[in-house]
Amino acid sequence: MNSTSFRITWIEAQRSFVADAAETVLEAARRAGVTLPAECEFGGCGTCRVKLVEGRVHYDEPPLALAPEEEALGYALMCQAHAQADLAISTGRLLDAPAPAQRRRAKVVRSERLCGGVTRLVLAFEDGAPFVFRPGQYLDVLLGEAGSRSFSMASRPGEAEVELQIREIEGGYFTQTQLAALRAGDPLDVEAPLGAFGYHEEDYRPIVMVATGTGVAPLASMLATMLETGDAPPVELYWGARTQEDLYLHEHFVQLAARHDDFRYVPVLSRADDAWAGARGYVQDAVLAGHDDLSEYALYLCGSPAMIADARRAFLARGASVRYLYADSFTFQHAQPAAAGV
Ligand SMILES: Cc1cc2nc3c(=O)[nH]c(=O)nc-3n(C[C@H](O)[C@H](O)[C@H](O)COP(=O)(O)OP(=O)(O)OC[C@H]3O[C@@H](n4cnc5c(N)ncnc54)[C@H](O)[C@@H]3O)c2cc1C
């Protein structure tokens, strides 16, 4: 092997491949036909995080989704990392994919406002087949030359209809111009199921879930599934929004907490009016205010990349274990099809 190429060994998959120092480890894996978990591919989501059991890497820029504490513990992001030595990498415990992703034609069942700026979009497959996915996963809406847009499934798997909760983005091609025009019966091409985020039942420890805005969607799906099994560990959901009106599932979670002793719901508002008696400020700070020590918890974070980066750092400093910290970042750079633009 020449001086700028290194051997990468993926322990769990028992696969090895060669990476040039000039390319990222993920690019090298792809070239060799090895499928490492990855999503955003710009260091924003953390899906491609691995433990470096041996070797070292460098980054052109420090990736957003890797806290310095994680790096110090030997974790690395394969979509940004360049090998500087032979590597042995461990992906730890990956959830099994429930089904391979497929591109299929769906149709709109209904579209309705949940609150100012958030739409519930309900889809069904044209042939009536159920949506098979693991709670926590997402689908891509396929928009031809405009690329694809990702949205998490908010409903339970295995049903003939799937619910998405979509926040309107100022100037957004899909969420501002296309979504409002969708009517019942309109076709929509999707690719599903996608993503590595989901409930790690095997952890068997109390759970803190943290969401901002529509980041609550995959957590709502996970909660609906976990709580109905009856043997879920205690779960706390901290949901951050700006105003009370933005808490579009507030009543749903209040009722869920009334029905399940082991489920606690903490809404947190950053721009509450005087009438609000609940928690105020940033959602991650409310978690810290409620927990002096997070070392016994599994943490599930979902929503804006900024919240996730901040929460990750703060929770690790409060004793959370990298091993039990899972995040789904609503990053927003889209893979465009080759030779196409919006
Ligand atoms: C795995 C995953 C799951 C997701 N799940 C959901 C979900 O369940 N519900 C949901 O509402 N969103 C979700 N998102 C975010 C969603 O994909 C984007 O908001 C959406 O793609 C925006 O599309 P658009 O065409 O309207 O905006 P674009 O036309 O693509 O973008 C317009 C402008 O807005 C910026 N922008 C785009 N999205 C965002 C954003 N989210 N926040 C801030 N600025 C943005 C762009 O950089 C650009 O400048 C998810 C993202 C990922 C990666």
Side-chain angles (χ1 to χ4, degrees), residues 143-155:
L143 300 168
E145 294 205 335
S148 60
R149 303 293 187 273
S150 306
F151 299 101
S152 306
M153 274 74 86
S155 47

Side-chain angles (χ1 to χ4, degrees), residues 98-174:
Q102 284 186 327
R103 290 174 170 232
R104 297 183 64 176
R105 166 79 31 117
K107 64 173 194 263
V108 174
V109 176
R110 65 184 172 279
S111 167
E112 61 201 19
R113 276 273 166 198
L114 282 166
C115 67
V118 179
T119 299
R120 169 187 283 140
L121 183 67
V122 178
L123 304 176
F125 286 128
E126 282 203 321
D127 61 5
F131 276 81
V132 177
F133 60 93
R134 203 182 45 239
Q137 288 194 290
Y138 66 93
L139 58 72
D140 272 356
V141 172
L142 306 175
L143 300 168
E145 294 205 335
S148 60
R149 303 293 187 273
S150 306
F151 299 101
S152 306
M153 274 74 86
S155 47
R156 264 191 288 250
E159 296 179 350
E161 295 182 354
V162 77
E163 173 179 329
L164 310 175
Q165 297 165 1
I166 301 181
R167 179 165 76 93
E168 196 177 297
I169 299 296
E170 186 68 37
Y173 170 73
F174 178 69

Side-chain angles (χ1 to χ4, degrees), residues 222-235 256-257 260 262-263:
M222 285 163 64
L223 280 167
T225 316
M226 289 161 63
L227 294 176
E228 89 178 0
T229 66
D231 64 354
V235 192
L256 207 59
H260 296 277
D262 267 352
F263 172 60

Side-chain angles (χ1 to χ4, degrees), residues 102-305:
Q102 284 186 327
R103 290 174 170 232
R104 297 183 64 176
R105 166 79 31 117
K107 64 173 194 263
V108 174
V109 176
R110 65 184 172 279
S111 167
E112 61 201 19
R113 276 273 166 198
L114 282 166
C115 67
V118 179
T119 299
R120 169 187 283 140
L121 183 67
V122 178
L123 304 176
F125 286 128
E126 282 203 321
D127 61 5
F131 276 81
V132 177
F133 60 93
R134 203 182 45 239
Q137 288 194 290
Y138 66 93
L139 58 72
D140 272 356
V141 172
L142 306 175
L143 300 168
E145 294 205 335
S148 60
R149 303 293 187 273
S150 306
F151 299 101
S152 306
M153 274 74 86
S155 47
R156 264 191 288 250
E159 296 179 350
E161 295 182 354
V162 77
E163 173 179 329
L164 310 175
Q165 297 165 1
I166 301 181
R167 179 165 76 93
E168 196 177 297
I169 299 296
E170 186 68 37
Y173 170 73
F174 178 69
T175 64
Q176 212 166 42
T177 66
Q178 307 283 296
L179 181 63
L182 288 177
R183 300 282 174 265
D186 284 352
L188 204 59
D189 289 328
V190 299
E191 182 172 4
L194 296 165
F197 188 64
Y199 172 42
H200 285 258
E201 205 173 343
E202 73 282 4
D203 289 350
Y204 214 74
R205 39 176 54 212
I207 290 173
V208 172
M209 294 179 164
V210 187
T212 48
T214 48
V216 81
L219 302 181
S221 174
M222 285 163 64
L223 280 167
T225 316
M226 289 161 63
L227 294 176
E228 89 178 0
T229 66
D231 64 354
V235 192
E236 296 169 43
L237 169 68
Y238 287 76
W239 186 21
R242 287 185 188 166
T243 66
Q244 209 163 341
E245 206 246 329
D246 299 330
L247 295 172
Y248 58 86
L249 293 181
H250 184 72
E251 267 318 303
H252 167 73
F253 290 131
V254 166
Q255 284 172 25
L256 207 59
R259 286 203 306 277
H260 296 277
D261 290 344
D262 267 352
F263 172 60
R264 184 168 163 254
Y265 164 55
V266 185
V268 185
L269 297 183
S270 60
R271 295 191 196 163
D273 60 22
D274 291 345
W276 176 247
R280 291 167 182 266
Y282 289 126
V283 66
Q284 60 272 33
D285 294 334
V287 175
L288 297 172
H291 295 273
D292 290 337
D293 178 3
L294 288 167
S295 59
E296 296 301 316
Y297 288 86
L299 294 127
Y300 293 80
L301 318 179
C302 193
S304 73

